[in-house]
């Protein structure tokens, strides 16, 4: 018996190693970052090694949030820094709206934390504003098809839990100020328009609501209006006021839809 086992072990050792997936390859980031930007991304990369979706950021707040009251139409706003910096209580006074934006996030991270930061909060609807950081590619260089797949995944999860979906268009950007001079290089306006066209069509075909921030905030040159931002990306109060006027009717339509 021992001889047989030794023989089998020797035969197994001679078998070629099986692996279904191709070998990994190294990826290199050829961009250069200033100290502030470099420190910011170093912190994000460090956190993502432990918690890719950064679920820890809202974990305590999610656990402490009570269930919606009877008749309450809770709405979760999911997104990146544009959502994170949006004071929902100021722009939607008296509304049971919950902010779950995280600066710098890409759509893949939002998919990872969707269960915790959206589904578990039992909202009636979710407003998703995402994609601009995927185009930037500092955290993850994602194809348009990959972004679209992540959008579909979030819609599928929401609908599986009877949560109404509002997708917001990706906002335009501009390079009108010194601190926005590389904005168009990092975030191609053509890709923004293409993704918005896909997203609008996806919402139509799946009977989801579409909040078109892009149409209301773009100028004659196809860029973000200068009066709505200082850095070419993040809205000023006037920008958030404009977005609120578009978001609320879309939320109302979603909540009324059967």
């Amino acid at each position: 018996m021992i001889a047989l086992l030794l023989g089998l072990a020797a035969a197994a050792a001679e078998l070629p190693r099986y692996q279904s997936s191709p070998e990994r390859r190294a990826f290199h980031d050829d961009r250069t970052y200033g100290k502030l930007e470099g420190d910011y991304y170093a912190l994000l990369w460090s956190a993502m090694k432990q918690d890719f979706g950064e679920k820890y950021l809202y974990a305590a707040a999610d656990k402490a949030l009570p269930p919606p009251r009877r008749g309450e139409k809770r709405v979760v706003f999911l997104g990146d820094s544009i959502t994170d910096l949006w004071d929902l209580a100021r722009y939607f006074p008296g509304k049971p709206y919950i902010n779950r934006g995280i600066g710098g996030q890409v759509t893949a991270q939002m998919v990872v934390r969707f269960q915790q930061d959206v589904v578990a909060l039992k909202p009636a609807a979710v407003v998703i504003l995402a994609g601009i950081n995927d185009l930037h590619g500092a955290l993850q260089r994602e194809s348009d098809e990959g972004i679209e797949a992540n959008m579909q995944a979030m819609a599928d999860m929401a609908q599986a839990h009877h949560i109404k979906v509002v997708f917001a268009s990706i906002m335009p950007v501009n390079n009108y100020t010194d601190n926005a001079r590389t904005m168009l290089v990092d975030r191609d306006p053509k890709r923004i328009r293409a993704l918005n066209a896909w997203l609008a069509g996806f919402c139509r075909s799946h009977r989801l609501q579409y909040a078109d921030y892009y149409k209301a905030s773009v100028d004659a040159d196809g860029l973000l209006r200068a009066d709505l931002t200082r850095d070419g990306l993040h809205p000023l109060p006037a920008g958030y006021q404009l977005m609120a006027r578009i978001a609320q009717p879309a939320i109302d339509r979603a909540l009324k839809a059967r």
Side-chain angles (χ1 to χ4, degrees):
M1 177 62 72
I2 294 176
L4 176 61
L5 291 175
L6 290 174
L8 291 174
E14 295 175 359
L15 291 175
R17 175 174 174 266
Y18 175 78
Q19 180 176 327
S20 175
S21 66
E23 293 293 331
R24 285 188 171 90
R25 59 189 176 93
F27 290 85
H28 302 284
D29 187 358
D30 54 3
R31 303 184 191 196
T32 58
Y33 301 101
K35 185 179 186 315
L36 288 177
E37 192 176 23
D39 290 348
Y40 170 74
Y41 284 120
L43 180 63
L44 286 184
W45 293 326
S46 174
M48 289 167 63
K49 289 179 182 179
Q50 300 295 322
D51 180 357
F52 176 73
E54 297 181 290
K55 295 187 291 182
Y56 76 95
L57 287 172
Y58 283 115
D62 290 341
K63 187 174 293 187
L65 189 69
R69 299 183 305 275
R70 181 183 296 273
E72 176 183 329
K73 298 296 185 181
R74 175 177 291 173
V75 178
V76 172
F77 283 64
L78 183 74
D80 47 47
S81 60
I82 296 176
T83 297
D84 193 7
L85 301 175
W86 194 352
D87 184 352
L88 299 182
R90 173 182 175 184
Y91 293 93
F92 302 95
K95 297 288 188 179
Y97 293 175
I98 308 297
N99 192 319
R100 288 298 180 263
I102 296 178
Q105 283 218 325
V106 295
T107 53
Q109 291 176 289
M110 296 179 206
V111 170
V112 169
R113 67 184 178 96
F114 199 89
Q115 179 70 36
Q116 173 190 288
D117 288 348
V118 179
V119 174
L121 306 186
K122 302 185 183 303
V126 60
V127 178
I128 302 169
L129 173 57
I132 196 66
N133 291 323
D134 297 69
L135 300 185
H136 181 239
L139 296 183
Q140 182 169 340
R141 296 190 179 185
E142 189 63 87
S143 66
D144 290 359
E145 293 78 13
I147 299 170
E148 292 162 8
N150 290 335
M151 297 286 199
Q152 292 182 65
M154 287 188 276
D156 289 344
M157 284 188 284
Q159 291 183 307
H161 293 276
H162 310 289
I163 299 169
K164 302 295 185 181
V165 179
V166 176
F167 274 113
S169 61
I170 301 173
M171 300 279 287
V173 296
N174 73 38
N175 61 349
Y176 295 150
T177 59
D178 287 343
N179 61 345
R181 61 184 180 277
T182 65
M183 195 63 65
L184 305 189
V185 176
D186 294 338
R187 300 166 177 85
D188 185 354
K190 290 182 181 178
R191 288 189 71 190
I192 294 175
R193 290 192 291 271
L195 283 167
N196 282 340
W198 175 86
L199 188 56
F202 177 75
C203 288
R204 285 194 300 270
S205 63
H206 289 75
R207 297 184 179 181
L208 309 177
Q209 294 303 315
Y210 182 62
D212 197 349
Y213 301 156
Y214 183 94
K215 182 178 179 180
S217 61
V218 72
D219 65 15
D221 295 319
L223 304 178
L224 181 58
R225 284 167 39 191
D227 63 311
L228 300 180
T229 184
R230 287 198 184 96
D231 64 5
L233 174 66
H234 298 99
L236 293 168
Y240 282 123
Q241 187 64 56
L242 178 66
M243 293 162 63
R245 290 200 299 267
I246 296 167
Q248 189 58 61
I251 293 169
D252 292 341
R253 292 193 300 270
L255 294 176
K256 291 177 181 177
R258 293 184 178 180

